[in-house]
């Protein structure tokens, strides 16, 4: 076949295609093959890294970042072939990268279609190669406590064959990866397509030039996850969804629409649509675009409510076109946070015609809301003042690791919503896109964050190594992907970065980044969170809004913290207010309180905040921290110290607590552990006592009262055992074995009620709460007997038979009267029958080094957890049986449908 015939065939194929083309997005998570090196890996490296002779990962989280180690790159690395993947997100054409000739690695066996990979592990994505362990327990571990003591490091390969039919000839074929940790490089049919180093960002690669139409195509993906690259557990592998996208050569670009609203009232709202269209065909095209707007209810389009003006123009080959259009929606259904508002959403469907034929359809979900950042009133959503009751969340899902699962993420948000939380800060990286779909649907306010560091380093192999090459592409990609989510109220482009310390030089880096944010999204404010920069420093002046980590309530400034080294800061809300009277102020991180669920240590501090130290709220022998909820990281403050500081400064818009859930890694103060002690909720999803303290403040209209500690203290008979009470009421009477221990009322800046002189006597504690002199709520805590039975509780009775959906089974130890045994630590075994599988167990104990994949788990403070996954296309009853030596076996049945 000569060249002329080939060209005629291709043009005819395109003409046929253009008449019927529709955008197609196919999830390709199933049937991958995986291999990870156990020793030395192949030489196909992105770039040379600095040698690490020694690294200590148990330093305080607020330690000053350090200067980077400069290294010289090498001609043998693949960096020059990967950098062009960023070009779509580099605004200045002169700064875009030119790809060298050739395809490095094309002769490597793993990228070739005839390589025998049958011995490789078969799996589905998302996949976290490290989460099954085993945990490293030695002192000089290759991965220490900071990164979760799990084997995240090393080089892994994923292979999959994909069929591309001949009917796709003329289409653009893209690979979309929502997240892969890290230094991703992709080959197709032996050709190096491209890659993306930053493990948290989503990215797209054009496979079109390398496709074998009408047959199999070999996809090979190499990941290289370095040790000492993070301050928390980053996960490992292709841990988010992967898609194959097929479009016409004339199509709306990746994340190519931006919809925002202005002049929003109850009567009407003006909606702006900005879009980018690309013509990658080989001739000029007559383009028409029409966009219709519909309500979006139950995850599908509803009633049509508006149409944007129709656009018509000619678009030359290889050219892109962007335009901004406006329309009005009458009586808009506004997006806003519950319980006083509802998260209504819309969907815009853009249809693209080329030469009179439909070639693309592109959907954009969005919400209409009016957000104001008032220096006086705080956050106003649709003219209502909304106090930010937020938490910080890392990206792991506990025993599931970093592998994203929609139900697991939803469970986290549901529990936070129960507490009264209304806002999430994504710490400190882009989340899975589906998590933002959840925050949109559930009505959470979001601070979306991208970087934990810039040029300065916090760990030897962190993002600072690629910052100069990738910051613009990473930042623009992050913004374009997420800017249509109504839940996002502001962007954070940095967390506690080292540039706070470098005066004007650091401020210049901040200005460079914030200018990119404003360019991509002029509708939202941008900020970088500060734990060191003071009001008079150049760094503080750059952000649109003031975002403080711990500085509002002060750092190491109370008497109990005076002996500690590190940043020492008086409460700075007033100083920032004075310097920036016209700027909105909020706390992006507060508290950093520590506790182990159900563990109470004596004596109890007489103050309201103290650092966790051996014999003073912490135990160096057991590596547990007291759940009296006064104790903190060295740089932190208790919840109540934070509450008082914010109540004294009502112009502060609210807080994001560090942290909502416990997470893998950063196990302050015991770096021999696997997971954090910071969470209000533990790693397994069980509520700590602190949950009820926040609930008492954040849901003041909910009648509730909570007692701590538990009342099983046989070894403390007659000893002082303080009893504390959290309540949304204002007064409580406490009873021990029906004898009143007195009635107490909350004073100014008091958020708990304390009976610090109670002598332990087994039996029953009862707290009766009052509000405005009337009965409000009641709680009873009893001394239990020995455990005699297991109680199983499922978070849902029906699962979808899709091979992805989850059910979380809580195991509780009860005595013969049904009382929870709060100090039970018995070993339990899980057994599953039917179309389900046990994929993980946990108990919330940060010191438990048993593999998450184990079918056996010791109870911690009377509870354990099993996580069940459905099997694809297999319906029926799933029977979960849990046994423990000497106790009656328990069963529960759930349905897979």
């Amino acid at each position: 076949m000569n060249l002329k015939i080939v060209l005629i065939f291709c043009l005819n194929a395109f003409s046929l295609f253009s008449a019927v083309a529709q955008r197609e997005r196919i999830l390709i998570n199933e049937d991958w093959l995986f291999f990870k090196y156990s020793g030395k890996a192949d030489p196909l490296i992105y770039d040379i890294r600095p040698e690490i002779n020694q690294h200590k990962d148990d330093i305080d989280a607020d330690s000053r970042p350090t200067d980077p180690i400069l290294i010289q790159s090498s001609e043998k690395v693949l960096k020059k072939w990967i950098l062009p993947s960023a070009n779509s997100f580099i605004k200045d054409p002169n700064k875009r990268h030119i790809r060298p000739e050739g395809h490095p690695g094309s002769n490597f066996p793993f990228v070739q279609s005839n390589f025998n990979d049958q011995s490789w592990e078969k799996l589905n994505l998302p996949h976290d190669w490290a989460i099954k362990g085993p945990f490293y327990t030695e002192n000089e571990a290759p991965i220490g406590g900071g990164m979760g003591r799990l084997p995240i490091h090393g080089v892994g390969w994923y292979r999959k064959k994909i069929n591309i039919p001949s009917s796709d000839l003329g289409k653009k074929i893209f690979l979309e990866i929502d997240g892969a940790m890290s230094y991703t490089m992709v080959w197709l049919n032996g050709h190096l397509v491209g890659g993306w180093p930053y493990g948290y960002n989503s990215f797209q690669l054009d496979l079109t030039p390398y496709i074998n139409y009408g047959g199999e195509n070999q996809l090979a993906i190499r990941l290289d996850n370095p040790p000492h690259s993070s301050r928390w557990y980053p996960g490992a592998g292709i841990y988010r969804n992967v898609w194959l996208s097929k479009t016409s050569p004339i199509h709306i670009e990746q994340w190519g629409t931006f919809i925002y609203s202005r002049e929003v009232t109850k009567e009407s709202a003006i909606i702006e649509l900005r879009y980018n269209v690309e013509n990658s065909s080989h001739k000029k095209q007559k383009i028409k675009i029409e966009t219709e707007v519909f309500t979006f209810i139950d995850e599908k389009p509803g009633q049509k409510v508006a149409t944007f003006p129709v656009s018509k123009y000619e678009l030359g080959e290889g050219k892109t076109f962007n335009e901004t259009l406006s329309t009005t929606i009458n009586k808009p259904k506004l997006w806003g946070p519950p319980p006083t508002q509802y998260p209504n959403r819309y969907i815009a469907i853009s249809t693209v015609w080329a030469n009179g034929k439909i070639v693309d359809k592109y959907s954009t979900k969005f919400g209409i809301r009016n957000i104001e950042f008032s220096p006086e009133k705080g956050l106003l959503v649709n003219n209502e003042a909304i106090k930010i009751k937020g938490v910080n969340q890392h990206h792991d899902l506990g025993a599931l690791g970093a592998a994203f699962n929609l139900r697991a993420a939803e469970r986290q948000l549901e529990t936070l919503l129960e507490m009264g939380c209304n806002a999430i800060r994504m710490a400190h990286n882009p989340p899975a896109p589906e998590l933002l779909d959840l925050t949109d649907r559930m009505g959470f306010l979001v601070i979306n964050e991208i970087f934990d560091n810039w040029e300065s380093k916090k760990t030897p192999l962190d993002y600072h190594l690629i910052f100069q090459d990738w910051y613009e592409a990473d930042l623009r990609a992050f913004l374009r992907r997420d800017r249509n989510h109504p839940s996002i109220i502001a962007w954070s482009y940095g967390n506690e970065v080292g540039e706070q310390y470098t005066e004007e030089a650091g401020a210049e880096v901040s200005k460079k980044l914030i200018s990119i944010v404003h360019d991509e999204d002029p509708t939202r404010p941008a900020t970088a969170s500060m734990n060191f920069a003071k009001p008079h420093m150049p760094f503080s002046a750059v952000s649109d809004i003031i975002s403080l980590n711990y500085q509002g309530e002060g750092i190491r400034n109370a008497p109990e913290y005076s002996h500690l080294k590190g940043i020492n800061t008086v409460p700075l809300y007033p100083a920032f207010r004075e310097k920036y009277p016209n700027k909105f102020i909020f706390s992006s991180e507060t508290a950093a309180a520590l506790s182990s669920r159900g563990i109470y240590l004596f004596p109890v501090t007489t103050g309201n905040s103290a650092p966790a130290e051996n014999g003073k709220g912490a135990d160096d022998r057991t590596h547990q921290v007291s759940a009296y909820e006064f104790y903190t990281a060295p740089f932190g403050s208790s919840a109540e110290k934070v509450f008082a500081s914010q109540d004294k400064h009502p112009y502060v818009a609210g807080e994001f607590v560090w942290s909502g859930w416990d997470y893998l890694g950063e196990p302050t103060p015991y770096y021999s552990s696997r997971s954090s002690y910071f969470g209000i909720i533990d790693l397994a999803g069980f509520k700590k006592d602190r949950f009820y303290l926040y609930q008492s403040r954040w849901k003041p209209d909910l009648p509730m009262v909570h007692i701590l500690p538990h009342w099983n203290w046989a070894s403390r008979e007659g000893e002082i055992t303080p009893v504390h009470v959290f309540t949304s009421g204002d007064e409580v009477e406490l009873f021990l074995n029906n004898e009143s221990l007195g009635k107490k009322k909350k004073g100014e800046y008091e958020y708990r009620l304390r009976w610090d002189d109670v002598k332990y006597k087994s039996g029953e504690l009862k707290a009766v709460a009052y509000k405005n002199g009337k009965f409000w709520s009641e709680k009873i805590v009893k001394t239990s007997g020995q455990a005699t039975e297991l109680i199983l509780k499922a978070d849902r009775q029906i699962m979808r038979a899709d091979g992805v959906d989850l059910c979380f089974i809580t195991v509780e130890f009860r005595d013969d009267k049904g009382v929870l045994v709060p100090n039970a630590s018995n070993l339990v075994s899980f057994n599953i029958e039917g179309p389900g599988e046990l994929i993980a167990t946990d108990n919330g104990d940060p010191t438990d080094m048993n593999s998450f994949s184990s079918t056996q788990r010791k109870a911690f403070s009377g509870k354990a957890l099993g996580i069940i996954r459905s099997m694809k296309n297999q319906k029926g009853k799933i029977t979960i049986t849990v046994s423990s030596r000497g106790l009656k076996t328990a069963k529960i049945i759930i349905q897979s449908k």
Side-chain angles (χ1 to χ4, degrees), residues 203-254:
F203 62 96
Q204 172 183 282
L205 298 174
D206 186 0
L207 303 181
T208 313
Y210 316 111
I211 292 286
N212 292 328
Y213 292 94
E216 283 188 339
N217 292 263
Q218 182 62 62
L219 197 59
I221 301 176
R222 183 189 191 273
L223 302 183
D224 183 359
N225 211 25
H228 314 303
S229 57
S230 176
R231 298 187 300 116
W232 58 86
Y233 178 75
I238 305 178
Y239 68 104
R240 293 180 186 162
N241 289 329
V242 177
W243 308 83
L244 201 64
S245 241
K246 303 177 182 182
T247 73
S248 160
I250 301 98
H251 60 275
I252 291 177
E253 290 185 320
Q254 180 192 20

Side-chain angles (χ1 to χ4, degrees), residues 78 80-82 99-106 187 190-194 210:
L78 277 60
K80 289 182 179 179
W81 284 265
I82 304 303
R99 178 177 168 131
E101 295 293 324
H103 288 274
S106 60
W187 284 260
H191 300 279
L192 179 59
V193 180
Y210 316 111

Side-chain angles (χ1 to χ4, degrees), residues 409-641:
E410 183 182 48
R411 174 181 177 247
Q412 287 195 339
L413 294 180
E414 286 172 348
T415 310
L416 291 169
L417 203 60
E418 182 187 349
M419 184 174 65
C421 174
N422 65 3
I424 308 291
R425 176 172 174 248
M426 303 296 178
H428 305 289
N429 47 260
E434 294 85 358
L435 182 57
L436 292 170
D437 291 338
L438 284 173
T439 57
D440 288 347
R441 175 165 59 84
M442 299 173 75
F444 283 92
L445 307 167
V446 171
I447 303 291
N448 207 12
E449 188 162 78
I450 181 167
F451 298 133
D452 188 48
N453 60 288
W454 302 339
E455 295 173 327
S456 298
K457 65 180 171 69
K458 295 181 179 178
T459 60
L461 301 179
D462 64 18
Y463 189 81
H464 83 278
L465 295 177
I466 59 172
F467 177 82
Q468 288 298 341
D469 288 331
W470 285 90
Y471 74 84
E472 182 183 1
D474 274 323
L475 186 51
R476 289 189 189 275
F478 159 74
L479 294 162
R480 289 181 199 174
R481 189 196 76 169
D482 292 348
R483 61 190 175 182
N484 289 308
H485 287 282
S487 56
I488 297 172
I489 60 171
W491 305 105
S492 175
Y493 58 92
N495 172 68
E496 298 182 356
V497 295
E499 285 72 9
Q500 292 176 96
Y501 296 82
T502 58
E503 300 295 335
E504 291 291 349
E508 287 303 311
V509 180
S510 185
K511 289 175 185 177
K512 182 167 58 177
L513 294 171
I514 201 171
S515 69
I516 293 172
V517 180
H518 292 158
D519 186 45
E520 292 289 338
D521 179 8
T523 71
R524 293 177 177 93
T527 189
S529 294
M530 299 176 290
N531 69 326
F532 173 78
K534 305 300 183 286
H536 65 277
M537 295 180 178
F539 191 94
S540 303
V542 179
S543 295
D544 299 321
I545 53 180
I546 301 298
S547 174
L548 300 179
N549 286 8
Y550 310 108
Q551 295 198 84
E553 59 270 20
I555 302 173
R556 296 185 181 89
N557 72 305
E560 294 87 346
Y561 299 80
S562 61
H563 62 289
L564 301 175
K565 295 179 180 179
I567 297 171
N568 190 295
T569 303
V570 298
L572 284 181
Y573 287 139
F576 274 98
R577 169 79 164 172
E578 182 178 2
K579 179 67 175 178
Y580 302 106
N582 297 318
K583 282 193 177 184
F584 175 94
I585 298 174
F586 74 106
S587 273
S588 41
E589 288 183 31
T590 61
L594 308 170
S595 61
S596 304
R597 177 183 55 82
I599 302 296
Y600 305 92
L601 304 176
F602 306 94
V604 178
T605 182
T606 57
N608 75 345
S609 186
E613 298 175 304
N614 188 42
K616 298 178 180 179
D619 187 335
D620 286 356
R621 182 182 57 85
T622 62
H623 291 187
Q624 302 293 0
V625 180
S626 178
Y628 270 98
E629 308 297 10
F630 288 123
Y631 303 100
T632 76
F635 54 88
S637 297
S638 70
E640 289 149 287
K641 184 168 181 263

Side-chain angles (χ1 to χ4, degrees), residues 692 695 702-708 725-736 738 764-771 774-782:
Y692 301 98
Q695 189 183 63
L702 174 70
M704 57 80 61
V705 60
H706 177 78
I707 302 171
L708 64 150
V725 175
F726 304 145
T727 182
S728 52
D730 52 37
E731 190 175 20
V732 169
E733 185 171 11
L734 183 68
F735 298 85
L736 174 56
N738 294 319
E764 177 185 283
L765 281 173
K766 181 169 74 172
V768 181
Y770 299 86
K771 195 164 191 174
K774 296 181 179 180
F775 173 81
W776 184 244
S777 186
E778 181 178 288
K779 179 72 175 182
I780 294 173
V781 173
K782 295 181 180 180

